[in-house]
Amino acid sequence: MKVANGVHVLPVPRPQDPDSLLNLTLIVDEENGNTLVDAGLPDQMEAIGAALDEAGLGVGDLRRIIFTHQDLDHVGSGAALVRQSGARVLAHSEDAPYIEGSLRPLKLTPEMLEQRPQVRKVLERLEPVSVDEPVEDGTRLDVADGTQVIATPGHTPGHISIYLERPKVLITGDALTAEGGSLKGPNQAMTPDMQTAAQSVRKLADLDVDIIVCYHGGVVDEDANGQLQRVVRETSRDLDE
Ligand SMILES: [Zn+2]
């Protein structure tokens, strides 16, 4: 689904729960190469390939893959995509060791895996990926005529959001969520540091935004700035309670 000039949202269904969509973002840039933001669960190459095909591209046309963070549903098919495309991988330096497999994914503690054997099964299918370019808050990318990395920790320590300055598109990863076009705060159950996550939301609200893409919940395009302000108020109120 094209949401702005050169920006496509690629909804990919979760294999176990097809009603739940993961919203990858494709940034088409004929001059500087195409970029995919996040890479679904393990074994989702076929679904991602089909979504790219709908946007008129193939896996081989990807020049870079940005991971917003280390979670399983964001890096899952990264290794397979890199193998097929030779794309360079970008992620925040704080999350890179988890993505590269030198540290166990932060939220997947032995206790959690004990309780949720289905997650353990998925984790067993996860392949590590090397991060070619570690990025930080404020890193500028030669993508879509001006793109900024914004560190938005809280959900994970190295969580980033991506701001495309020209089309005013904000790709939030899991720093924000959405439901039916309505913007919502981070998923509290999956966000270990809500204080920091709330500060990250405030930081995002300083941007001038026309379109917000949430990995869980999809596109928010109605009064995006106003909705961001509302979520800042709601998130800080929830923390005060
Ligand atoms: Zn997620």
Side-chain angles (χ1 to χ4, degrees):
M1 176 184 29
K2 190 170 173 177
V3 295
N5 218 355
V7 186
H8 299 252
V9 173
L10 312 180
V12 172
R14 280 180 195 268
Q16 312 306 340
D17 180 10
D19 288 338
S20 161
L21 299 173
L22 306 172
N23 292 282
L24 287 60
T25 307
L26 170 69
I27 307 160
V28 178
D29 184 332
E30 278 169 24
E31 210 177 310
N32 297 302
N34 306 308
T35 304
L36 184 68
V37 182
D38 286 332
L41 284 156
D43 300 323
Q44 287 209 288
M45 270 299 277
E46 209 172 303
I48 295 170
L52 283 169
D53 188 53
E54 234 168 84
L57 291 180
V59 173
D61 297 316
L62 296 176
R63 182 161 322 161
R64 58 185 85 69
I65 299 173
I66 303 175
F67 293 129
T68 58
H69 62 292
Q70 59 174 287
D71 284 352
L72 204 53
D73 54 334
H74 294 254
V75 302
S77 288
L81 287 168
V82 168
R83 250 196 313 276
Q84 205 169 315
S85 63
R88 290 177 68 75
V89 171
L90 288 73
H92 192 278
S93 51
E94 290 253 3
D95 269 24
Y98 304 93
I99 295 167
E100 295 183 323
S102 48
L103 293 172
R104 173 178 47 75
L106 208 53
K107 294 174 197 169
L108 303 181
T109 59
E111 302 77 51
M112 188 268 199
L113 293 172
E114 188 72 35
Q115 283 161 10
R116 300 180 64 183
Q118 72 279 24
V119 177
R120 196 176 59 217
K121 270 211 181 99
V122 180
L123 178 62
E124 280 163 9
R125 305 283 308 146
L126 180 68
E127 291 177 78
V129 198
S130 331
V131 174
D132 302 299
E133 283 180 47
V135 297
E136 312 289 336
D137 187 43
T139 300
R140 298 195 61 83
L141 305 176
D142 222 356
V143 171
D145 268 340
T147 293
Q148 245 187 79
V149 172
I150 299 165
T152 44
H155 186 77
T156 67
H159 189 288
I160 55 172
S161 300
I162 305 295
Y163 180 53
L164 312 181
E165 294 161 352
R166 292 285 281 268
K168 296 187 188 174
V169 173
L170 175 64
I171 304 163
T172 70
D174 290 0
L176 291 163
T177 58
E179 208 179 312
S182 172
L183 193 65
K184 301 207 174 316
N187 177 348
Q188 300 216 17
M190 294 303 289
T191 303
D193 185 349
M194 268 306 288
Q195 287 285 358
T196 306
Q199 281 165 19
S200 294
V201 175
R202 266 197 291 274
K203 190 163 153 193
L204 293 178
D206 289 338
L207 301 167
D208 183 17
V209 172
D210 281 344
I211 291 158
I212 301 171
V213 183
C214 300
Y215 196 69
H216 305 286
V219 177
V220 173
D221 57 4
E222 220 166 278
D223 186 22
N225 285 323
Q227 294 213 49
L228 260 171
Q229 300 299 338
R230 171 179 56 73
V231 171
V232 169
R233 287 193 300 274
E234 289 170 357
T235 316
S236 42
R237 195 190 54 212
D238 287 353
L239 280 173
D240 287 342
E241 274 168 7

